[in-house]
């Protein structure tokens, strides 16, 4: 009786192993790696504090974003003007609900332009800096 149980256990093990090998042969072959990496050609944003922008130059590539942190000031308290909208555009910061976004500048096309940011809080001088955009 003991031999029959051991034999039955061995048979079950062999059948299970064979079934597993047989099924693994039916598995789909792995897909080829995509030619373009996930995320495509996305360029990481550049983050700079508003206080560090005065008189400076920021280098960006087309499509890249300058994320501007505002410290203790409300993110929606800044407005901005870009001298050449073919080179860059200003993005207003927002505050509301559970989400808050920083103001920023998006690189639109190759070139150089001046950006001026002002704050509605009195006593803060305008921030003026240059954005230089190159092609990817």
């Amino acid at each position: 009786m003991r031999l029959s149980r051991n034999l039955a256990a061995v048979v079950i093990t062999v059948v299970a192993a064979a079934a597993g090998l047989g099924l693994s042969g039916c598995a789909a072959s792995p897909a080829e790696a995509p030619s373009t990496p996930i995320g495509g050609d996305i360029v990481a944003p550049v983050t700079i504090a508003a206080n560090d922008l005065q008189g400076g130059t920021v280098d960006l590539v087309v499509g890249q974003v300058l994320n501007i942190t505002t410290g203790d000031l409300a993110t929606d308290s800044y407005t901005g003007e870009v001298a050449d909208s073919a080179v860059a555009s200003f993005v207003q910061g927002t505050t509301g609900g559970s989400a808050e976004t920083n103001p920023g500048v998006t690189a639109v096309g190759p070139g150089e332009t001046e950006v001026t940011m002002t704050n509605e809080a009195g006593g803060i001088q305008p921030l003026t800096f240059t954005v230089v955009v190159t092609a990817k």
Side-chain angles (χ1 to χ4, degrees):
M1 186 88 153
R2 191 173 263 189
L3 182 58
S4 314
R5 286 185 186 168
N6 287 343
L7 182 59
V10 168
V11 169
I12 290 172
T13 303
V14 169
V15 170
L21 289 175
L23 291 177
S24 67
C26 297
S29 60
E32 290 185 31
S35 59
T36 303
I38 295 174
D41 59 352
I42 295 173
V43 181
V46 174
T47 299
I48 300 177
N51 293 340
D52 296 335
L53 287 170
Q54 187 67 284
T57 299
V58 179
D59 295 318
L60 301 173
V61 296
V62 173
Q64 192 170 30
V65 174
L66 168 61
N67 175 45
I68 303 168
T69 59
T70 60
D72 293 337
L73 299 174
T75 58
D76 62 353
S77 64
Y78 280 96
T79 58
E81 288 186 33
V82 178
D84 187 350
S85 61
V87 176
S89 64
F90 182 79
V91 179
Q92 181 75 35
T94 61
T95 302
S98 62
E100 185 172 305
T101 62
N102 291 327
V105 175
T106 301
V108 177
E112 182 175 314
T113 190
E114 187 173 277
V115 177
T116 302
M117 290 176 49
T118 55
N119 192 296
E120 66 183 31
I124 297 175
Q125 73 179 36
L127 296 170
T128 303
F129 58 96
T130 302
V131 173
V132 177
V133 179
T134 56
K136 288 185 184 178

